[in-house]
Amino acid sequence: EVRNMACRYYSGQVRREPNDQTLDIALGNLKYFSYIIDFNKFEEDVNVFLSQYDILATFIPHERKSSYTSPSQNNCDLICDYNRLDVKLFDRWKMKEQENS
């Protein structure tokens, strides 16, 4: 139930097991979002988003930010394996972002 949740939610097919078609639907649906925030550059992306609406933010809290011990390589491999389609979705989104920059 917790695997490939980004593909599930962005495709609108939450209950069924995702596949490559689900990935394509999710990627296609991303174009309908007005803005997608990359949490790796949270403050910068939030400022860009807000500036589109002429909103100036002096402080942007990232209240869910946490620090934790990095997972082992074995755990990283497991996470990527169980979330293979989400990893592909993220990689394709990043590639499109770079092309549009």
Side-chain angles (χ1 to χ4, degrees):
E1 292 180 7
V2 297
R3 295 182 310 216
N4 295 304
M5 292 310 290
C7 281
R8 290 175 191 250
Y9 285 126
Y10 296 139
S11 71
Q13 300 176 359
V14 178
R15 295 189 187 270
R16 82 163 93 145
E17 190 65 29
N19 56 32
D20 285 333
Q21 182 182 13
T22 312
L23 170 65
D24 292 338
I25 293 168
L27 190 61
N29 284 344
L30 289 180
K31 68 183 172 193
Y32 297 109
F33 285 72
S34 61
Y35 197 79
I36 299 171
I37 295 172
D38 182 348
F39 277 75
N40 291 319
K41 49 190 189 112
F42 180 79
E43 190 169 337
E44 176 185 339
D45 275 9
V46 169
N47 275 317
V48 170
F49 172 75
L50 293 175
S51 70
Q52 293 175 348
Y53 299 96
D54 296 322
I55 300 170
L56 179 62
T58 55
F59 173 70
I60 300 169
H62 188 173
E63 294 182 15
R64 296 191 70 192
K65 186 175 186 175
S66 61
S67 58
Y68 56 88
T69 305
S70 295
S72 68
Q73 185 60 50
N74 184 51
N75 284 343
C76 284
D77 293 343
L78 279 171
I79 291 167
C80 287
D81 189 44
Y82 279 106
N83 294 283
R84 178 183 61 84
L85 295 172
D86 280 358
V87 171
K88 281 185 177 181
L89 178 64
F90 179 77
D91 289 345
R92 289 184 187 177
W93 170 75
K94 287 299 282 185
M95 194 167 33
K96 281 191 175 202
E97 284 292 299
Q98 290 170 352
E99 289 170 2
N100 294 333
S101 296

